[in-house]
Amino acid sequence: MILETQLSQEITKTSSGFNKLILKKDNLAYENLHSFVYWDLLNKKGTIPKEALKSIELIKKSINHMPKNYWAHKTANIQKGARIGKGTKVWHNSQIINGAQIGEDCVIGHNCLIQSRAKLGKGVKLESNIDVWDLVILEDYVFVGPSAVFTNDINPRAKYPKKKYPQHGQWLPTLVREGATIGANATIISAKPKRIIGKWALVGAGAVIVKDVPDYAIVVGVPSKVIGWVCECGNKINFKSTRTSCRICKRKYQKKGDKVWRL
Ligand SMILES: CC(C)(COP(=O)(O)OP(=O)(O)OC[C@H]1O[C@@H](n2cnc3c(N)ncnc32)[C@H](O)[C@@H]1OP(=O)(O)O)[C@@H](O)C(=O)NCCC(=O)NCCS
Ligand SMILES: [Zn+2]
């Protein structure tokens, strides 16, 4: 079920003892749009003072006239408390769990799941059938091909779930850094303390990642190996010496060992 346009409100106390009211529409807090008010401590009866109520009504009206910030297909399930940035699109049958954070201008393809402790930056593109589990972070402009798999449990046991039996291990985080691409059907095995896919790296289709991937590396195979280097724009770059540039976009790079960076 998709939430209809909903206005909700939340009252918290600021550190200086004021009550702070945050109005929300479609689970997005309108804090930076002047849609919250501060007022002195609640009156004796514990109710909101009249003057504050008036301004709350005005603010509610103006929020109601604001265009919806993101778009979700009617079959998508967006749970209350999920934070979804402006311009993001959520396609058929995808589910966004309470607490999940998704930045602006993302595309969540069909049949994806974003769990409550997963985070997506801005401009992230998920194709279809992708589960982004708790502790998976996808930085800005990460691309994930169809049916790619993240994991957060290195030795899962149905009988001994990590939450109930922390002595048997813990869930592990994965960080996919800015601009990286994960090919179709690739599998990212989590690691202690954290699996890292470097920025602008390109993970080939079907690869199984058991080692961290350096920035700008192309990795393929099972288990995956570095077979080359790739520019931010997606074209291969070749290092005949320690420096090179992309023949398409002319970005310049330097390499030392398996470390590549932009000049
Ligand atoms: C990894 C990738 C970028 C390499 O492309 P490329 O640079 O044009 O690679 P080439 O075709 O020149 O292949 C180079 C070598 O890697 C091998 N190779 C390429 N892709 C591979 C893959 N996914 N898995 C295993 N080996 C692969 C090739 O067989 C070749 O091996 P060889 O040198 O022994 O002959 C590409 O194959 C890939 O997997 N892209 C991801 C596509 C995808 O999943 N898109 C999702 C959205 S549609
Ligand atoms: Zn380039």
Side-chain angles (χ1 to χ4, degrees):
M1 182 206 73
I2 186 168
L3 286 171
E4 295 300 328
T5 293
Q6 271 189 2
L7 273 181
S8 59
Q9 58 190 53
E10 190 178 286
I11 298 174
T12 53
K13 259 204 171 47
T14 66
S15 51
S16 47
F18 284 86
N19 290 305
K20 178 183 177 186
L21 174 81
I22 303 170
L23 293 171
K24 291 182 172 184
K25 183 186 171 192
D26 300 319
N27 301 320
L28 290 177
Y30 282 84
E31 290 174 88
N32 50 0
L33 290 170
H34 309 291
S35 58
F36 63 90
V37 285
Y38 292 92
W39 71 95
D40 273 320
L41 297 172
L42 295 175
N43 65 24
K44 277 182 198 149
K45 290 179 197 155
T47 53
I48 301 171
K50 257 189 193 159
E51 319 78 71
L53 271 176
K54 260 190 214 162
S55 50
I56 290 167
E57 283 317 308
L58 279 176
I59 291 160
K60 275 185 177 175
K61 269 186 199 157
S62 67
I63 290 181
N64 251 335
H65 286 104
M66 282 178 193
K68 200 174 169 187
N69 271 333
Y70 66 90
W71 177 88
H73 187 264
K74 63 178 189 307
T75 58
N77 175 340
I78 316 284
Q79 288 192 353
K80 209 173 170 211
R83 298 197 64 140
I84 302 179
K86 198 168 116 213
T88 285
K89 292 188 173 72
V90 184
W91 287 92
H92 309 58
N93 298 316
S94 282
Q95 190 179 25
I96 318 290
I97 306 293
N98 173 22
Q101 293 179 41
I102 300 177
E104 295 185 355
D105 298 323
C106 293
V107 178
I108 312 297
H110 69 264
N111 201 30
C112 292
L113 167 74
I114 316 291
Q115 278 201 317
S116 59
R117 289 192 289 151
K119 280 188 201 161
L120 278 62
K122 68 175 177 210
V124 170
K125 286 205 172 113
L126 302 188
E127 297 259 305
S128 49
N129 312 315
I130 299 154
D131 296 322
V132 186
W133 307 116
D134 283 339
L135 307 186
V136 174
I137 297 177
L138 310 180
E139 288 187 350
D140 296 350
Y141 303 108
V142 163
F143 178 99
V144 186
S147 303
V149 175
F150 293 100
T151 61
N152 62 4
D153 194 341
I154 193 79
N155 57 347
R157 290 293 200 203
K159 194 174 173 188
Y160 302 102
K162 298 284 184 288
K163 204 170 180 179
K164 199 167 164 201
Y165 297 93
Q167 68 272 32
H168 294 322
Q170 52 190 176
W171 285 327
L172 301 172
T174 292
L175 172 65
V176 183
R177 299 207 48 218
E178 184 188 355
T181 295
I182 315 284
N185 219 24
T187 300
I188 316 293
I189 308 294
S190 55
K192 235 183 200 173
K194 188 187 282 179
R195 168 67 68 227
I196 297 177
I197 310 293
K199 65 180 177 184
W200 303 103
L202 206 169
V203 174
V208 175
I209 301 295
V210 293
K211 277 191 197 148
D212 286 355
V213 177
D215 294 351
Y216 303 99
I218 304 178
V219 297
V220 300
V222 182
S224 66
K225 296 211 161 47
V226 176
I227 60 158
W229 304 94
V230 63
C231 176
E232 191 172 314
C233 76
N235 282 290
K236 276 202 245 181
I237 45 176
N238 297 305
F239 287 94
K240 287 196 179 103
S241 66
T242 54
R243 287 186 177 200
T244 192
S245 62
C246 172
R247 68 188 168 82
I248 310 284
C249 72
K250 313 296 179 209
R251 286 183 175 90
K252 292 182 172 54
Y253 295 90
Q254 181 146 8
K255 180 171 180 288
K256 194 174 180 194
D258 70 351
K259 216 170 151 27
V260 169
W261 65 96
R262 240 186 96 186
L263 294 172

